[in-house]
Amino acid sequence: MATQLDYYEILEVTRTASAEEIKKSYRRMAMQFHPDRNPGDDAAEAKFKEINQAYDVLKDEQKRAAYDRFGHAAFEGGGAGPGGFDFNGFGGGGLGDIFEQMFGDMMGRRGGQARSGNDIQTHVEITLEEAFAGVEKDVRVITRVACDSCHGTGSNSGAAGVETCPSCHGAGKVRAQQGFFVVERACPTCHGAGRVVKDPCKACRGEGTVEQERTIKVQIPAGVEDGTRIRLTGEGEAGGNGVPSGDLYVHVSVSEHSIFQRDGANVYCRVPLRMAQAALGTEIEVPVIDGSRTIVKIPAGTQTGAHFRLRGKGFSVLRSSARGDMYIQVTVETPQVLTKRQRELLEEFEKEAGEDIKHSPEHTGFFRRVRDFFEGSE
């Protein structure tokens, strides 16, 4: 039996890592080993699958707790861990599902829960402009799809070759005694499917699914934020034997921009001003995130750090008609190289300004405080 790698080692985190640290490491590694970034690299493709498998367990608190206690054994045999407990079943609905499994018949509920194919995850990176406007992206995923040979039934005879499981009578679960309790677990004969396949299909070996690479179009809405997770229902792994497909989760990351910075629905842009422009006032043309340009009036005496607000020029807010604003942040630049004439003009300006400032109340008060400070330090 092949040795299974530790999920924490796969994601390059410690066993005490927080959920945010695990998520951050997953996103970094998913970008590094994504098939779109490593075309034709089988090793990167295999690593990408390992990363997603590890994150699927460690992102879920209950699955992670089960893994920390029992290791990979917690998810072997259709999700049933040591002692016959089904951790996958517990992880989905919490305490209510546990009581349903223990006391299902007493509360009037019979049969197993509806099953579906496995959920899968992938990652896509978009630009800030694409996040602003919305975009359609193609993502490539390696997943299990319905077998063409048997049309997903798992049998060479089609639907006629699939029968109700004789052990669980189609419930998908059987009972087991656990001390004073009677608990339910996945049927070992049909592995929870509730059906057994006669005359298994040779192409899929009776599973009803085969591994295949797919390209799926993902609609990313305008205003999406970095770290958003988009769910595509039914685009996950095919369940096989007539079981519904799982879901596809697409993790979106937004790349940094050379001009704009985003904070929620607002967008910021730093604009440099020459010293004379800031002192005298001016009008400047600035870019807007939607690709247009607009004129901003800068009043005389503007200082570094001043903000100018452009209402409604920011990002859309998801599931809302609201819209953020754009802020122009001014930085006054001091010239580093001067011509002889520029130096003479600045020296003349400084001389005149110095005389005016010297007699101002603010100037006099400031230097009085400076003098008092040094005299008090002696």
Side-chain angles (χ1 to χ4, degrees):
M1 181 177 177
T3 303
Q4 291 180 293
L5 294 176
D6 183 86
Y7 285 157
Y8 291 99
E9 292 181 3
I10 291 175
L11 292 180
E12 298 179 357
V13 295
T14 64
R15 300 186 78 84
T16 58
S18 66
E20 186 61 31
E21 290 172 332
I22 292 174
K23 179 181 178 181
K24 186 176 180 180
S25 183
Y26 162 75
R27 289 177 56 193
R28 172 180 60 80
M29 297 184 70
M31 289 177 63
Q32 180 181 352
F33 294 101
H34 196 283
D36 286 345
R37 291 195 170 191
N38 304 274
D41 189 337
D42 293 339
E45 185 177 300
K47 183 69 174 178
F48 184 72
K49 292 175 68 176
E50 283 183 353
I51 293 166
N52 279 281
Q53 183 181 10
Y55 184 64
D56 185 62
V57 171
L58 299 186
K59 72 176 182 179
D60 186 288
E61 291 184 6
Q62 292 171 308
K63 287 184 180 180
R64 182 180 178 183
Y67 178 74
D68 288 344
R69 185 175 181 185
F70 301 108
H72 293 284
F75 308 101
E76 293 174 354
F85 286 96
D86 187 347
F87 291 107
N88 288 334
F90 290 173
L95 198 59
D97 286 349
I98 297 175
F99 278 100
E100 182 172 353
Q101 292 190 29
M102 289 183 174
F103 307 109
D105 280 355
M106 293 174 60
M107 301 173 72
R109 292 186 288 268
R110 306 181 64 89
Q113 298 176 346
R115 300 178 66 252
S116 64
N118 292 328
D119 295 336
I120 57 176
Q121 303 181 61
T122 190
H123 172 270
V124 66
E125 183 176 10
I126 62 175
T127 65
L128 192 65
E129 290 92 341
E130 289 173 333
F132 172 81
V135 66
E136 181 181 84
K137 286 284 187 178
D138 289 339
V139 297
R140 292 194 303 134
V141 294
I142 299 171
T143 183
R144 301 196 70 83
V145 300
C147 175
D148 289 334
S149 298
C150 62
H151 304 290
T153 63
S155 172
N156 287 322
S157 305
V162 182
E163 300 177 353
T164 301
C165 175
S167 299
C168 64
H169 305 290
K173 296 183 179 182
V174 293
R175 294 182 178 186
Q177 188 76 32
Q178 296 286 342
F180 293 102
F181 299 104
V182 175
V183 298
E184 290 181 339
R185 60 176 178 174
C187 173
T189 302
C190 64
H191 304 292
R195 291 165 291 185
V196 291
V197 176
K198 301 295 183 182
D199 187 21
C201 171
K202 293 181 179 179
C204 64
R205 299 180 181 178
E207 294 183 10
T209 61
V210 293
E211 193 172 84
Q212 180 179 304
E213 181 180 86
R214 298 175 58 204
T215 299
I216 300 172
K217 292 188 179 297
V218 182
Q219 292 290 343
I220 299 176
V224 67
E225 294 194 43
D226 184 66
T228 297
R229 189 177 74 164
I230 298 175
R231 177 184 179 184
L232 301 181
T233 304
E235 295 291 354
E237 289 192 350
N241 301 324
V243 175
S245 298
D247 300 330
L248 169 64
Y249 291 92
V250 180
H251 297 263
V252 179
S253 64
V254 181
S255 58
E256 293 185 358
H257 199 277
S258 59
I259 298 176
F260 302 108
Q261 296 82 42
R262 181 181 182 181
D263 183 10
N266 297 325
V267 62
Y268 295 80
C269 178
R270 289 186 178 182
V271 176
L273 284 183
R274 296 189 301 276
M275 188 171 60
Q277 287 180 308
L280 301 174
T282 187
E283 290 185 351
I284 58 174
E285 186 180 63
V286 296
V288 184
I289 187 65
D290 62 7
S292 65
R293 294 175 179 271
T294 189
I295 300 297
V296 176
K297 186 174 182 179
I298 306 296
T302 294
Q303 303 295 312
T304 290
H307 285 77
F308 300 92
R309 181 181 182 182
L310 303 178
R311 292 183 180 274
K313 294 293 186 179
F315 280 75
S316 302
V317 179
L318 291 177
R319 295 179 291 276
S320 170
S321 59
R323 197 176 188 89
D325 301 323
M326 179 175 173
Y327 291 87
I328 304 300
Q329 183 178 11
V330 169
T331 302
V332 180
E333 296 185 335
T334 302
Q336 295 179 321
V337 180
L338 297 172
T339 66
K340 182 180 178 180
R341 175 60 177 160
Q342 289 171 338
R343 178 175 291 276
E344 290 173 351
L345 290 172
L346 283 176
E347 287 174 349
E348 184 178 343
F349 168 80
E350 176 60 23
K351 183 178 179 179
E352 292 184 5
E355 290 297 325
D356 293 339
I357 294 174
K358 186 183 298 184
H359 301 291
S360 68
E362 294 83 359
H363 180 272
T364 304
F366 171 75
F367 281 98
R368 183 184 298 114
R369 290 192 296 273
V370 171
R371 183 192 61 197
D372 294 343
F373 171 78
F374 282 108
E375 288 178 352
S377 302
E378 294 178 353

